[in-house]
Structures are given as C-alpha cells and as structure tokens.
Amino acid sequence: MVDLNILDSVVNKTIQALEKSKEEIYHISESARQEYERVKRELLETKEKTAAVINKVDETERQYKQARMYLIHVNNNFNKYCEDEIKDAYQKAHQKQIELLELQKQEKILRLHRDHLERNLKTLENTIKRSEGLITNLSMAMKFITDDLSSLSAHIDEMQQMQALGLSIIKAQEEERKRVAREIHDGPAQSMANIVMRAEFCLKLLEKDPSKVQDELYNLMDLVRQSLKDVRKIIFDLRPMVLDDLGLVPALKRYIEHYAKEYGIFVETSVLGRERRLDSSLEVALFRVVQESLTNIKKHASADQVVIKIEFLRDKVNVLIRDNGCGFDKDKVLSEKQYEGFGLLGMKERIQLLKGNLSIKTAPGKGTEINLSVPTPE
Ligand SMILES: Nc1ncnc2c1ncn2[C@@H]1O[C@H](COP(=O)(O)OP(=O)(O)OP(=O)(O)O)[C@@H](O)[C@H]1O
Ligand SMILES: [Mg+2]
C-alpha cells in the first residue's frame, strides 16, 4: 500500500522548496531592478556630463586656434611687439593646449564610462527578463504539482479503498461459504443420515411386523419432504433462481409474499417508473439489500409494517425500505459492529462498489429507513 502521508509530505516539501526558490528569484529580480534604475540614472548623468565636456572641448579648441593664430601673427611681426607680449602670447597658446588636452582626456574617460554603463544596463535588463520568466515557470510548476499530485493522491486513495473493499468482499464470501457448509451439515446431511437409518429400520420391520411398515414409510416421507424444503431454502439463499429467470421485481415479490406470510409483517410494495431487467450483478445486489433489510426487520425491529419502493429512472434505480419498528442508534451500532457477513455495512459497501450510495435514517423509537440509489449503465 502507498502511504498517502508520505506522498503528501513529499508534495508539501517540494512546494515549500519551490516557494523558497521563487522568493529568492523574486529578491534577485528586485535588486536587479533597483540596480537597473540606479545605472539608468548614472547613465543619464554621464551623458549630460559628456555633452558638457564635448561643448567645452569645442570651445577650448576654438580658443586654442585663436591663441595660435595670434602667436603666428606675433611671430611674423615680432618687431611690432615687445618681448613680454611675445612671451605672453606663447604662454596663452601653451595654456590653452594643456587645457584642451586635459578636456579631451576627460571626454575619452566619460565616453568609456558611458559605454560601460550602457552594456551594464543591457545585462541587467536581461537578468530582470529571465528572472521574471523563471518566476512564471515556477508558479506553473507549483500549480502542476498541487493540481496533478492532489488528484493523483485522490486516485490512489480511491484505488486503496477499492482494494480494501475487494478484500472485505472476499472475506464475506468465505463467511457465506462457511455458513452454507454449516447449514448443509446441520440440516440436509443430518436428515439424510436419519433417512438411511429409518430405511434400514423399515427393512427390518418388513420381516418382523409388516403392518407397521406403512406408518414408518409415511414418517420417512415427511422427513424427505422436510429435507427437500431445507435444500430448496439453501439453494434459494445461495442464489434465487427466479432472479435470473424473471428479474428483480418478480423475485422480490415472491420473496416478500413468503416473508409476510411467515412472519406476519405487512409489507406494502410499489414499483415506480418503467420496470426493466438490469445487469445481473446489480439485480443480485439489490435483491440482497432488500433481503438483508427484511431479515434485520424480522430480527431486530419488532415492526408490523414495512414499505418498499422501487423506482426505475432513466439512468438509475432508487430503492427505499422503511419499517415502523424500534429503530436504533446508528452511530453507536455501526462503530461497535465488527463487520462480518452481509450486514448493514456489507450492503453499504456492496452498493458503493456499484458506484451507488446508500443511507440509513433511524433513531431509537423512530423506525428505520434505508435509501439507496445505483446508476444503471446501458
Ligand atoms: N430495521 C432495524 N430495526 C432496528 N434495529 C436494526 C435494524 N436494522 C439493523 N438494526 C440494528 O443494527 C445492528 C446491525 O445490523 P447488521 O445487519 O449490520 O447486523 P446483524 O443483523 O446484527 O448481523 P448480521 O446481519 O451480520 O447477521 C443490528 O444488530 C441491530 O441492532
Ligand atoms: Mg443483519
């Protein structure tokens, strides 16, 4: 047998692990998103800075060009300028050159940094997309596990119930055989031994006192009749042949007629809907349920009235058996009763096996009502 608790705990642990992974991935995705925002801001700033530096470079380039032009002019006309002016022109041009070089260096660094940030941003975008995909996949996996495995465990549960039911039916059949063997042993087998003895006695009487043989033969005949009745009853209990020959309703009517006469209990039987032949295992099960209910009424209920209703619907059959007897405490009786043979629990299981359901309504002093419904597949 599969332990469903183990299966459940495996499912729960798997779901917990998946849940944890989902949380972690969610964390990763969250920090990637924050990092993405930060890098985006930095990129914007860097772009602004780069643009400003480029402007400055352009401006400084222009200034440097002017300074050089001026220097060339001074050099070409150096007799017009004094020494300090020439020196100053040199210095200015040199100064602008250094400034320009410095700014160009800055521009290069900023451009590199900008490219680096752009690459970073792409990678982060990818990370976010992939972790979102993972979260969706994990959620799907979790859904599969919860849906499929819980239906699987329901399936296994059902199979195990069926197996247990099968076992209890085998046990019930064995009990039934034991009962039949005992009945034959106590009834017909014993009477037949008796008949043989009586027949031997008749033979002896025939020699000694023939006038008494006639009486003795009558006795013998009674004995044979009684045995025949016993045998017929055993055969009927094993399987009422009218059930196969005529179907459920005639077999029940015959049984009920005999029952009412024998036990003095009034039974009102009604058949609703269009009566029809059912699958033979279904007919036997329904017959046995009514038979067991009537036996219970005779044994336990002290009732004098019984109502039986059989209703044939298009795709199912409903049966009701109600008595006006003493009723009983259902929960107490069913929890105490060690199931053996074909009692209340047996009939419930048998009906469940046929995919039907059976309910018992009763309380001390309130009579007993049994309702059942079984589907009748084509
Ligand atoms: N119609 C009824 N009226 C009153 N009590 C009932 C009725 N049917 C069942 N019971 C009570 O429920 C108990 C269980 O019934 P069930 O048919 O399962 O077992 P049983 O008749 O005692 O034994 P078995 O059917 O195995 O020979 C009975 O012992 C009886 O106390
Ligand atoms: Mg019983």
Side-chain angles (χ1 to χ4, degrees), residues 95-137:
Q95 186 70 32
K96 277 294 156 200
Q97 192 185 26
I98 289 172
E99 230 175 271
L100 184 64
L101 280 174
E102 181 56 34
L103 280 168
Q104 278 170 338
K105 208 167 102 195
Q106 264 183 40
E107 185 193 332
K108 201 173 160 198
I109 290 172
L110 278 170
R111 276 183 200 272
L112 280 174
H113 190 52
R114 185 197 60 194
D115 294 349
H116 171 73
L117 287 174
E118 266 167 355
R119 276 197 305 275
N120 249 356
L121 210 60
K122 273 247 155 61
T123 316
L124 284 167
E125 215 169 33
N126 263 338
T127 308
I128 292 169
K129 258 197 208 132
R130 272 165 53 194
S131 53
E132 273 170 358
L134 272 176
I135 290 174
T136 318
N137 285 351

Side-chain angles (χ1 to χ4, degrees), residues 178-191 234 238:
K178 229 158 69 186
R179 190 187 59 75
V180 173
R182 204 171 44 232
E183 250 170 62
I184 294 175
H185 176 266
D186 294 351
Q190 243 170 46
S191 353
I234 291 169
L238 274 178

Side-chain angles (χ1 to χ4, degrees), residues 227-249:
S227 305
L228 197 62
K229 206 172 148 200
D230 287 351
V231 170
R232 285 214 173 107
K233 183 172 178 300
I234 291 169
I235 293 171
F236 181 83
D237 284 350
L238 274 178
R239 186 169 180 108
M241 301 221 211
V242 269
L243 195 56
D244 294 321
D245 298 342
L246 304 176
L248 178 67
V249 172

Side-chain angles (χ1 to χ4, degrees), residues 31-46 113 116-117 120-121 124:
S31 30
R33 210 184 296 274
Q34 278 169 15
E35 181 65 6
Y36 178 84
E37 290 304 323
R38 193 192 63 73
V39 170
K40 205 164 132 187
R41 273 196 312 273
E42 197 182 332
L43 180 62
L44 205 73
E45 277 166 24
T46 309
H113 190 52
H116 171 73
L117 287 174
N120 249 356
L121 210 60
L124 284 167

